[in-house]
Amino acid sequence: MKKRYIILTAYLVLIMLPIYWMLNMSLRTNADIMARLVFIPTEITFDNYITIFTDSAWYSGYINSIIYVVLNTIICLVTALPAAYAFSRYSFIGDKHVFFWLLTNRMAPAAVFLLPFFQLYSTFNLIDTHIAVALAHCLFNLPLTVWILEGFISGVPREIDETAFIDGYKFPRFFFFVFIPLIRSGIGVAAFFCFMFSWVELLFARTLTTTAAKPIAATMTRTVSSSGLDWGLLAAAGFLTIVPGALVIWFVRNYLAKGFALGRV
Amino acid sequence: MKKWQDNKGWLFILPVFIIVAFSAIIPLMTVVNYSIQDIFGPGQRIFVGTEWFKETLTDPRLHEALWRQLLFSGLVLLIEMPLGIAIALTMPTKKGLGSSVCLVLIALPLLIPWNVIGTIWIIFTRPDIGLMGAFINNMGITFDHTASGLHAWITLMLMEVWHWTPLVILLAYAGLRSIPEAYYQAARIDGASAWAIFKYIQLPKMRGVLTIALLLRFMDSFLIYAEPFVLTGGGPGNATTFLSIYLVKIAVGQFDLGPAGAFSLIYFLIVLLFCYLFYQVLLNVGKGESS
């Protein structure tokens, strides 16, 4: 019993080290970083964070990222819920083929679609808008959402639907007030995955934006190349990208374990 | 479960169908278009048939990238799956602050943007300012991932394991949590060893989630782009030029749309083929055990 916690602690310490090192550097000045290697910083400065929070070129990156991630999550959940319900409850012409086709999009290399995406979204005048990135991320997030939700919905016995209809529920009322509360943990897990994959994706987000909707990840790469290497600032910006994800996972932590187990293959 | 036979199911999936089709079919057809034409500029294009496919299939650099990619994905699966299961077994089973904190800490690397992952590891492994780089160099070993292909691979593997093992852990942990306590009690009465419990109770019960983990890990490691691009840029030389990096080099760097299109289609088919094979194998393994 004791041994397993030693292993777990060792693993946790090891995975925290790179993150801690970034936090460490973000609290020091560039001159201090280059001059010496210290495990616990002695001269702590918040200048790097102040720069990010006061310079709109920096903080707008975070706002842009959050906007398109939230948009993407909403689009995915709203459209995937009925679809997952249909895949779970009805059999219709071509259902298996459509389901498989959806999943293949999860496997499409993003690099394959870069140029066509740029042309397509230019044609619709969507370049440099948040909705463009949100839609592009649907390519891999929607199939995943449908897949996860379908597993959860199939875990709810069909008798519940039938009983509700016999009791005189109309479909929309049944769906919103009876069914959705039943699968709320599934919705939590699906939302977490949408958030996660949209937040971490860079290739589409960078290709489809120039200035107005530029994500923080792209801001970071460009600043690095233009102003030399300001390690402290870079580390601070990197550390801030972890915060939203950490918050989200704290809220869904109880659903996560239960959630995965129900998802089907 | 028997399903209702009803074509109104199509109405329900229509929004998903339209959105995905917009982002998938139109760009895919554009890629098909590229792959069979030689494009000089706007309006100047010649139909070339399968020439680009022939050229791509015989490109030695593509073959190298493919082998590199297969080696990378194979190593990733070999390391991450056992490690993920092992760590999941050490996680606290009781609900509470301990397991919550563990879950959040373990999941952290998953929620960092991919190029930031690269940045973290550049910082971490630099010999002058990085903790790991300085540590290894202090031991008397010159470690520099920008100069040695082997070191670049080691750094990449460390980064990849650090980044994605958490996904396997979370999935395996979820599988473990779904096992009823009664199973363990029965095993204890029978005097089963920890290994027997693992082999006959835990592993079969985790099969579903592990299949998902294996498929997701294979797909994402096979499509990896942002992390090695930031960390090594495909170098030194071509040592870490994986398929995606090579593809972007051709398509964006050299603007060879025809070969890039053909390459894209072949790439996509390879991923599909592997996923289909994995899926079938795992499905059959499952059948053998349950019967």
Side-chain angles (χ1 to χ4, degrees):
Chain A
M1 266 309 169
K2 283 277 147 50
K3 207 169 72 188
R4 59 186 266 190
Y5 287 119
I6 295 172
I7 298 173
L8 182 63
T9 315
Y11 176 78
L12 285 177
V13 168
L14 282 180
I15 63 167
M16 282 305 121
L17 267 183
I19 295 177
Y20 170 73
W21 195 247
M22 192 166 63
L23 175 66
N24 173 338
M25 284 183 42
S26 72
L27 295 172
R28 293 154 65 190
T29 60
N30 218 20
D32 189 30
I33 292 169
M34 297 312 284
R36 63 214 175 95
L37 212 70
V38 280
F39 196 72
I40 296 161
T42 44
E43 295 153 30
I44 289 177
T45 166
F46 290 99
D47 284 354
N48 296 320
Y49 290 97
I50 292 169
T51 311
I52 289 169
F53 281 119
T54 49
D55 184 352
S56 75
W58 274 106
Y59 69 74
S60 66
Y62 291 98
I63 297 171
N64 290 334
S65 289
I66 289 174
I67 292 175
Y68 72 69
V69 168
V70 170
L71 270 176
N72 173 266
T73 310
I74 293 172
I75 296 174
C76 282
L77 285 181
V78 167
T79 56
L81 266 171
Y85 182 82
F87 279 123
S88 165
R89 293 292 196 257
Y90 302 118
S91 79
F92 45 93
I93 298 168
D95 53 353
K96 289 199 180 63
H97 303 285
V98 175
F99 196 73
F100 183 73
W101 168 72
L102 279 177
L103 282 184
T104 60
N105 290 304
R106 179 64 184 69
M107 308 165 198
V112 168
F113 285 141
L114 277 189
L115 279 173
F117 258 69
F118 188 79
Q119 291 188 328
L120 178 68
Y121 284 90
S122 306
T123 317
F124 284 89
N125 267 328
L126 284 170
I127 292 294
D128 210 17
T129 57
H130 301 103
I131 193 77
V133 185
L135 275 178
H137 285 178
C138 281
L139 177 68
F140 48 83
N141 267 351
L142 255 184
L144 194 70
T145 317
V146 172
W147 190 22
I148 294 172
L149 287 176
E150 202 266 354
F152 275 94
I153 292 175
S154 295
V156 177
R158 206 178 55 163
E159 283 71 29
I160 289 181
D161 306 30
E162 283 163 347
T163 318
F165 294 142
I166 291 167
D167 286 351
Y169 274 92
K170 286 272 179 294
F171 184 80
R173 193 156 157 251
F174 156 75
F175 196 72
F176 287 110
F177 295 104
V178 179
F179 202 73
I180 287 185
L182 277 178
I183 54 161
R184 61 176 187 279
S185 54
I187 296 175
V189 174
F192 168 72
F193 271 97
C194 283
F195 180 93
M196 173 179 130
F197 281 114
S198 181
W199 178 255
V200 299
E201 207 277 341
L202 170 76
L203 223 49
F204 284 146
R206 195 182 58 188
T207 310
L208 296 176
T209 57
T210 48
T211 47
K214 191 158 84 172
I216 179 59
T219 315
M220 279 179 66
T221 50
R222 284 176 198 177
T223 311
V224 173
S225 52
S226 62
S227 69
L229 288 168
D230 189 344
W231 291 109
L233 197 59
L234 185 68
F239 189 75
L240 285 177
T241 61
I242 306 180
V243 177
L247 289 177
V248 169
I249 196 163
W250 182 258
F251 286 120
V252 299
R253 68 185 188 281
N254 290 327
Y255 294 139
L256 263 188
K258 210 165 63 188
F260 283 126
L262 286 171
R264 69 152 211 192
V265 186
Chain B
M1 184 160 64
K2 240 187 110 232
K3 293 179 179 181
W4 294 309
Q5 184 75 40
D6 195 341
N7 280 330
K8 91 175 171 202
W10 263 101
L11 278 179
F12 285 80
I13 67 162
L14 204 59
V16 168
F17 189 81
I18 291 170
I19 291 177
V20 178
F22 177 76
S23 295
I25 294 180
I26 300 174
L28 192 64
M29 289 329 286
T30 319
V31 173
V32 172
N33 248 332
Y34 290 156
S35 71
I36 51 171
Q37 300 183 49
D38 196 351
I39 299 167
F40 302 108
Q44 286 178 290
R45 43 185 69 190
I46 314 171
F47 180 79
V48 294
T50 57
E51 194 180 307
W52 297 131
F53 286 92
K54 280 179 202 146
E55 193 186 298
T56 308
L57 283 174
T58 51
D59 178 3
R61 295 215 288 156
L62 178 93
H63 294 172
E64 281 168 27
L66 179 62
W67 286 119
R68 223 173 271 138
Q69 186 75 68
L70 286 172
L71 178 66
F72 181 75
S73 291
L75 281 174
V76 161
L77 290 180
L78 270 181
I79 298 174
E80 287 182 9
M81 296 299 290
L83 182 66
I85 296 171
I87 300 293
L89 286 170
T90 67
M91 297 258 298
T93 42
K94 296 244 163 30
K95 232 186 197 163
L97 193 66
S99 64
S100 290
V101 170
C102 274
L103 270 179
V104 173
L105 286 183
I106 283 175
L108 263 189
L110 294 174
L111 289 146
I112 305 173
W114 291 345
N115 63 324
V116 179
I117 299 263
T119 312
I120 290 178
W121 280 85
I122 288 181
I123 292 176
F124 196 56
T125 54
R126 269 181 67 112
D128 51 348
I129 57 170
L131 186 63
M132 187 185 119
F135 182 72
I136 294 177
N137 280 301
N138 275 348
M139 290 196 308
I141 305 161
T142 336
F143 188 84
D144 188 356
H145 65 74
T146 54
S148 150
L150 180 68
H151 292 174
W153 266 80
I154 293 172
T155 315
L156 262 184
M157 286 311 298
L158 275 176
M159 178 179 76
E160 175 66 29
V161 168
W162 176 82
H163 184 188
W164 283 110
T165 309
L167 186 77
V168 184
I169 300 177
L170 288 182
L171 285 163
Y173 179 63
L176 285 175
R177 284 285 297 274
S178 71
I179 301 174
E181 185 57 29
Y183 281 55
Y184 292 116
Q185 281 163 3
R188 230 169 282 139
I189 292 167
D190 289 348
S193 65
W195 172 247
I197 292 179
F198 175 71
K199 197 176 161 200
Y200 295 109
I201 298 176
Q202 291 170 326
L203 203 57
K205 279 280 169 186
M206 283 194 286
R207 211 191 62 235
V209 282
L210 288 182
T211 310
I212 301 179
L214 189 80
L215 284 173
L216 282 178
R217 279 319 304 129
F218 174 76
M219 283 177 216
D220 289 338
S221 67
F222 210 78
L223 307 177
I224 192 167
Y225 175 79
E227 301 96 317
F229 180 74
V230 173
L231 189 62
T232 62
N238 277 326
T240 54
T241 302
F242 298 116
L243 285 175
S244 274
I245 294 181
Y246 188 45
L247 175 60
V248 174
K249 248 181 212 169
I250 297 177
V252 183
Q254 305 167 6
F255 218 68
D256 287 334
L257 293 182
F263 186 167
S264 301
L265 292 177
I266 295 167
Y267 192 0
F268 194 9
L269 285 179
I270 294 174
V271 181
L272 274 185
L273 180 75
F274 271 106
C275 286
Y276 181 77
L277 284 179
F278 274 144
Y279 189 64
Q280 290 303 322
V281 168
L282 289 163
L283 224 57
N284 290 333
V285 167
K287 273 180 198 144
E289 260 170 31
S290 59
S291 62

